[in-house]
Amino acid sequence: MKELYILRDTLGQLQDVVLTDVLKAERIVKSSNGRLTFEKILWLNDGLDCIFYERELAQSQLGRPQDRTRQAREIAQILLEKEAVTINADEPYIYVSGLRSPIYCDNRRLIFFPNERRIISHAFAERVRSFSPDVIAGTASSAIPWATWVAALLNRPMVYIRKASKEYGQRRLIEGGDIRGISVVVLEDLVSTGGSSLNAVNACREAGANVLSMMAIFTYEFQEAAQKFRDARCHTEALTNFSTLVQVAAEKQMIRSEKITMIQEWNTNPQQWGPRHGFPNVSPMS
Ligand SMILES: O=P(O)(O)OC[C@H]1O[C@H](OP(=O)(O)OP(=O)(O)O)[C@H](O)[C@@H]1O
Ligand SMILES: O=C(O)c1cc(=O)[nH]c(=O)[nH]1
């Protein structure tokens, strides 16, 4: 049994999607500290730990490192169980940056699994909510569904950012609406070198938006990516990451130890790994 907490201010309305969850809940315990209505729901379904619908409390609760660690481990396990993560050293994958890699994390697969995609979109929503953005932005193409679900959960407008402006029709780079002068959180499915996500952040900035954060499901934790975001003065975070993935895979014996050693070697020096193993890196994909 899991516990779902829904918190709202006394005048607040629960969104439809939450109401559906509430109706399915076994038992609701209500209390109040004067300013907040506090509803504790004993939740029978797997997968959903908690949702916070009050900003102040969300920040204090979600800021606790152990919560983030638990969440990162849970999502890493999903990536492994749903075979989003695959390893192939015989024919290493080519990344959009041109890097060769023995590991690929295909988060596109996650949209196929309703329970897991709910866990991830709720995790995103909890974090995005603490920034109170005007708009949720998704990078094309893989983050469009995540941005859609998060925007629906938070009842916010959504846009998506193309890799390049469309060459016909309205010729837009950002689709959905005008983000000039308003705040945005950008969602991405995955960060390797950070090039794609930073392009999206820059596109939003050039369109006149204030980018509050760029959040991804997964990051390989490359120094190169972290430096790019520092240089761009853009806050960034990920729901889970390479080191957590490796830790969970090792503990639960989901990846054999020699493969773990190999992907760790790749991760410490991704530029060198391909050439050293007879697979030169290639030009970045356009
Ligand atoms: O951090 P980077 O080095 O830029 O790499 C990460 C990017 O690569 C993938 O997108 P891809 O270009 O494969 O496009 P897609 O989302 O349309 O599948 C992924 O979805 C990220 O956007
Ligand atoms: O860098 C990339 O292109 C990339 C790496 C990865 O593991 N998964 C993905 O979708 N893209």
Side-chain angles (χ1 to χ4, degrees), residues 62 95 190 209:
L62 294 171
Y95 283 3
L190 179 137

Coordinates of all heavy atoms in Angstrom, one line a residue, residues 62 95 190 209:
L62 N 9.9 18.1 -1.2 CA 10.7 17.6 -2.3 C 12.1 17.9 -2.3 O 12.9 17.3 -2.9 CB 10.1 18.1 -3.6 CG 8.6 17.6 -3.9 CD1 8.1 18.4 -5.1 CD2 8.6 16.1 -4.1
Y95 N 25.5 8.6 -31.3 CA 24.7 9.7 -30.7 C 24.5 10.8 -31.6 O 25.3 11.0 -32.6 CB 25.3 10.2 -29.4 CG 25.2 9.3 -28.2 CD1 24.6 8.0 -28.2 CD2 25.7 9.7 -26.9 CE1 24.5 7.2 -27.1 CE2 25.6 8.9 -25.8 CZ 25.0 7.6 -25.9 OH 24.9 6.9 -24.8
L190 N 16.4 13.5 -22.4 CA 17.7 12.9 -22.0 C 18.8 14.0 -22.4 O 18.7 14.7 -23.4 CB 17.9 11.7 -22.9 CG 19.3 10.9 -22.7 CD1 19.1 9.4 -22.6 CD2 20.2 11.3 -23.9
A209 N 11.6 34.6 -23.6 CA 11.1 33.9 -22.4 C 12.2 33.9 -21.3 O 13.4 34.0 -21.6 CB 10.7 32.5 -22.7

